[in-house]
Amino acid sequence: MKNYNSFLLLFFVLLFSCKESEEPSIETEVELEQFERHSHFLFNFGYSDVQRIKVIGDRMLFSNKTNPGYMDTSGEIIQLCCSRNNNMDLRQSLSSKYIVAADQSLNVYNIYDVNESRSSSIFLDRLISHENYVRVNPSVSLSNFEMNEDHLISSLIVDGVNGIYIFDFEKHFSLFGTVESSNDVIKVDIPNSNPNSGPTFYKVDAFEDGWIASINNIDFSSNGTYFIHKDGRADLLYAQDDLSYLGHAFTSEGQLILGGFRELRVSLDASQENFYFTITSTNNFKFRVIQDRLVIWNPNFAEFYEVEGYKADEELVVRRLNNEGVEFTKLNDIAEFNGKVYLATTQGLFSKSLEGFWDSFPEQDGVSAVDDFMEGLEMRKF
């Protein structure tokens, strides 16, 4: 009898265990976080094309067509005083003390004091001796002037000739108007430039204690990439057939990432020569470093990718990131701020959590994570 009961017990255990194993498992689909558009009026309607964002300290500064400003760590938007006619927000330089914007006339700089929320103007014809006119070079689509602390470098046209000039804000500007002194404006001498037409910036950024810039000739051909000191000296870094500068970044370990026309170089340190990794492409692309992770994107679309393995002896992988919420816009800039990643686009300012930003692009019917932009990339370590 005891053996019979044991047999029945074993039978029922096997029966129920088999039934449990036959039940189908239900796979739960994880809903990925989407980008959300910022509702502030400065990023909507006629102001929706946000060209530049830049994190400095505890602020994220942004460009704007009338009066730029910044976001603080509480998420509040501070619009700087006062509204002026800027010549598109791409012609703005963002710094810790001032935001500088070219007026629509292109012969005046609008100056916004970031800390005091005051504004004034620099009238170029009062600072540079001339016969006919002085104006910001209108033919350059990228930013052609840039602040570095209290110094502004700019590509100007003076009496019909291109030139590069450095202004010292302590000498040439006050919030009560232009200081009448034209003796200390420095004109930069760029080697190999045509004296009859002069040099012009294609792209310029503050770099250490000066600026790094790609210089164009009058026919828009490249003159080369230079480092320009605040005293006006210009050192050639790369010849015209080597690299045409378009941007740079540093990792937390001090590695320099240098972007050029359809290429990107990564150095072992902060030098401009010790490169060990390059990316080239058949398409133009931009890049940013977020949490020491390299992100690249096609500026014609809001499609962006992480390049994994670029810092170590690892396999290089390009992984497309999830762009749900910004599929139908163009991406101008990316910045990490206050636990989020912000996208400056032609349709406004968007954000999502830092963690969610690294989600992979989901495979969808008819949409592949491998596209023409990725197929045009070539990566090489050496």
Side-chain angles (χ1 to χ4, degrees), residues 262-264 278-283 285 376-380:
R262 295 183 178 178
E263 70 171 305
L264 183 148
T278 63
I279 298 177
T280 57
S281 175
T282 56
N283 302 289
F285 66 93
L377 290 174
E378 293 185 4
M379 299 179 291
R380 182 166 63 97

Side-chain angles (χ1 to χ4, degrees), residues 198-256:
T200 183
F201 284 141
Y202 182 65
K203 173 67 173 174
V204 58
D205 285 318
F207 188 89
E208 298 176 341
D209 58 349
W211 297 269
I212 186 171
S214 51
I215 306 294
N216 275 355
N217 300 311
I218 189 63
D219 60 356
F220 298 105
S221 63
S222 174
N223 179 300
T225 294
Y226 290 82
F227 177 77
I228 302 175
H229 303 262
K230 289 181 180 178
D231 61 6
R233 290 176 294 125
D235 301 328
L236 179 65
L237 298 179
Y238 306 105
Q240 58 183 356
D241 56 351
D242 186 12
L243 180 105
S244 183
Y245 170 81
L246 286 179
H248 74 276
F250 288 97
T251 69
S252 63
E253 298 174 353
Q255 291 176 282
L256 171 64

Side-chain angles (χ1 to χ4, degrees), residues 349-360:
L349 185 70
F350 292 79
S351 68
K352 71 188 313 188
S353 70
L354 184 57
E355 180 182 6
F357 176 73
W358 301 112
D359 289 338
S360 294

